[in-house]
Amino acid sequence: MALWIPITLAAAFFQTLRFMLQRQLSLKTLTPGGATLARFLYSAPLVVVLITVYMGARGQTWPAFPPAFWFYGAAGGLAQILATVATVSLFKSRNFAVGITFKKTETMQAVLVGWLILGDQVTTFGFVAIGIGLVGVLLLSTPPDLSGFRWRDMANRSVGLGLSAGILFAVSAVTYRGASLSLGLDDPLARAGLTLAAVTTMQTIAMLVWLRLRDPGQVSAVWAARRIAVWVGMMSMAGSFCWFVAFTLQNAAYVKAVGQVELVFSMLVTVLIFREAISAREWIGMAVLMTSILMLVATI
């Protein structure tokens, strides 16, 4: 088995665990903002230490960090913060598996954004896949206790949060790649580690300032919940690093395809750990949306 496959599976697994822990924190003790801070606060210091040790052990010269690096890093960091807040907020209104599935629309939305803004070429097969994805979103758009579905049912808070999370995660992925490439290093692990260290540090500072001004009690609450919150940071760091490594070893399209196993993990967590029911329409909607995503990945 190629090395990038187990690394991608590990990335999806760590990411599922991280969202699972963030969901629990947001339902019990923290706001979505507090749960988002936990992700960065408990991972940034360790990332900085690890990349410093790595650079020293390899005898590498630290690169000059050009303005483009900080621009892309800050833009990606902000997008990721907003996307995480949206996803954690979504968990309060829909079950865990549906929340993760909505987040996965980032692939579909990234293709559309590239076509509309950058003029990227999209094949007829790609548009068919997007159309199928729209059907999947429609099936997931209404709460499970409602029978039937209508187009106007898509205009609700859950759909707004889910689609916002998807597009923001797509933006963060593109800008993180831009930041990493701007360093001009040949070592992909150094590029990934330095980018991750810089971005998580900026995110931690930004979230601390924001919460201190808008919701100061949450900073203390995140510290009080450190026995669980520290694992959010650890899972975040492990997942992010695995994604970065996988993208350096294999074509991003293949990594994204294997990464869809996160949907399977989320279903298992929903049923076996959270004991939440998944309606027949939600099962069908998730299957349709996953089919659309895999079709789109195949065209990239």
Side-chain angles (χ1 to χ4, degrees), residues 84-266:
T84 303
V85 170
T87 303
V88 175
S89 299
L90 178 59
F91 290 148
K92 291 189 174 184
S93 56
R94 301 299 294 273
N95 69 51
F96 185 72
V98 170
I100 295 298
T101 303
F102 268 125
K103 184 185 78 69
K104 284 295 184 180
T105 60
E106 63 185 282
T107 304
M108 180 173 67
Q109 295 188 75
V111 173
L112 279 176
V113 169
W115 175 62
L116 291 172
I117 298 179
L118 302 178
D120 292 343
Q121 295 298 312
V122 181
T123 65
T124 301
F125 184 79
F127 280 115
V128 170
I130 291 173
I132 293 174
L134 188 60
V135 173
V137 172
L138 179 60
L139 288 168
L140 292 172
S141 61
T142 53
D145 56 341
L146 296 181
S147 59
F149 54 87
R150 297 159 296 183
W151 285 104
R152 66 173 179 268
D153 290 332
M154 294 184 68
N156 63 59
R157 182 173 181 273
S158 295
V159 175
L161 287 171
L163 296 183
S164 296
I167 189 63
L168 287 166
F169 274 123
V171 169
S172 69
V174 173
T175 50
Y176 284 165
R177 175 172 171 78
S180 177
L181 293 176
S182 72
L183 293 178
L185 294 174
D186 294 328
D187 184 349
L189 295 183
R191 289 202 311 265
L194 289 170
T195 303
L196 187 59
V199 170
T200 53
T201 299
M202 288 191 291
Q203 289 170 320
T204 300
I205 294 172
M207 288 300 298
L208 284 171
V209 172
W210 174 258
L211 289 176
R212 180 63 69 181
L213 294 174
R214 299 300 298 268
D215 194 0
Q218 278 300 295
V219 177
S220 299
V222 171
W223 176 248
R226 59 188 177 277
R227 290 187 177 181
I228 297 177
V230 69
W231 290 106
V232 173
M234 296 300 99
M235 295 302 103
S236 174
M237 181 194 69
S240 296
F241 186 74
C242 286
W243 286 122
F244 272 113
V245 173
F247 284 130
T248 65
L249 296 175
Q250 183 54 268
N251 183 291
Y254 295 132
V255 173
K256 288 180 181 179
V258 174
Q260 301 311 316
V261 73
E262 183 185 356
L263 296 178
V264 177
F265 291 153
S266 70

Side-chain angles (χ1 to χ4, degrees), residues 15-89:
Q15 186 160 287
T16 301
L17 290 180
R18 188 250 298 174
F19 274 121
M20 181 184 76
L21 292 170
Q22 283 182 301
R23 177 188 185 276
Q24 290 302 92
L25 287 175
S26 69
L27 291 178
K28 293 181 178 180
T29 59
L30 303 180
T31 64
T36 300
L37 171 62
R39 172 184 181 179
F40 307 122
L41 180 64
Y42 293 105
S43 63
L46 185 56
V47 174
V48 171
V49 170
L50 290 176
I51 189 58
T52 301
V53 171
Y54 177 81
M55 295 293 285
R58 300 279 294 183
Q60 297 199 50
T61 302
W62 286 70
F65 294 90
F69 173 83
W70 298 110
F71 172 77
Y72 283 126
L78 176 60
Q80 190 177 44
I81 286 174
L82 296 175
T84 303
V85 170
T87 303
V88 175
S89 299

